[in-house]
Amino acid sequence: MAKRERVVRMSVEQPLWRALTGYRVLTMVYAVLLFAFGRERYERPWVALLYLAFLCVWTLATLPKVANAASCTKRFLLADLTVALVGILLTPLADAQAQSVDHSTLPTIWTAGSVLAYAIKGGWRWAGVASSLVAVANLVERGHPSRDTLHNVLLVWVASIAIGYVVEVARASERTLARALEIEAATRERERLARDIHDGVLQVLAMVQRRGTALGGEAADLGRMAGEQEVALRTLVAGGLNRPSLVSEDESEGAVVRVVDEDEEHDDGPVDLRLLLAPRAGAKVTLSEPGAPVLLAPPAARELAAAVGAALDNVRVHAGSGARAWILVEDWPDEVIVTVRDDGPGIPEGRLAQAEGEGRMGVALSIRGRLRDLGGTAELISVPGQGTEVELKVPRGKAGQGR
């Protein structure tokens, strides 16, 4: 990823750095020619000559510094801008009429190259700071604001900030493209693995199920387990292919959507609850979920998924091996509701209170306690002979306050 992103960034920035290199050389030559053809107007030409000689040496010696973003360090940017500012402030010393007549400064338009380096390196904010310093230096050099001075200052300020902003937008676009290419490659790899699994493991499990059912006896039990594993593996493969791996980062809104596994500890972005519940589905557990991601804060999503797991554990332990369960996920604007229902014998009236009195706190702690910590509720409805239903509600306003 890092290598790909670096290559993509070079495709955007490298032409800008090459253009800046050429600009610095051409404007250096322009400043020298301007002095040569207007030398007679300088009261102290030796000041201008010394500065321009230093400017030529500096420009040619620092060409590698403006070859790319890595070599263009903050220290160099500061020194380069200092050279430009010193040249502006030395202009009245070399040309006494510069403050009364609109003569160009010693570095002339070479100064814009220093500001553009800030724009390409650090974006529009850096460009704004550098161009503001140049504006102050020009006003000090002129002694009083004039129309031409304000025009030149405003031109450099607007142009540098605009270029810096364009560079930032281009970098963000290239990062998004690089991320999309990575996701596409990962998706293709998952699809290839899914095909391999389908052609191998899933077909073997399906064959074992058919043969075991036909043979009967212990082979039938083996076939039944193979069938359950086939369904679970198909669900896992489908969940992997449909997993939204793209991380959406919108700096302007601060929204980040990140997918994590159940045991991950990343708490810096919403988690799709569907992905945490997908492994719960199987031959005897049906999962019904919305088509769009059900986003919750990571602590809330993990606690809610754990509560669902506790409810399913109760189904397996108390409803019998033949009981089926259904998980229904509802995503509402103000809350998330997950309902776990089974077709077991149900819970006799008073049985939960009796279990809590005997110290068996599975429902009280594993389910109700988790939802209470999230600011939600857990409601259990059971009718003897008609199964049990557990409704888990998590308000969105409190979902981010889980442990």
Side-chain angles (χ1 to χ4, degrees), residues 116-137:
L116 292 178
Y118 274 83
I120 301 174
K121 174 68 174 182
W124 68 270
R125 294 176 181 83
W126 287 25
V129 173
S131 58
S132 298
L133 293 176
V134 171
V136 172

Side-chain angles (χ1 to χ4, degrees), residues 34 65 91 94 133 209 218 233 321 347 364 377 395:
L34 199 63
K65 290 290 186 178
T91 300
L133 293 176
Q209 181 187 18
E218 294 183 356
L233 186 55
S321 59
I347 302 175
T377 60

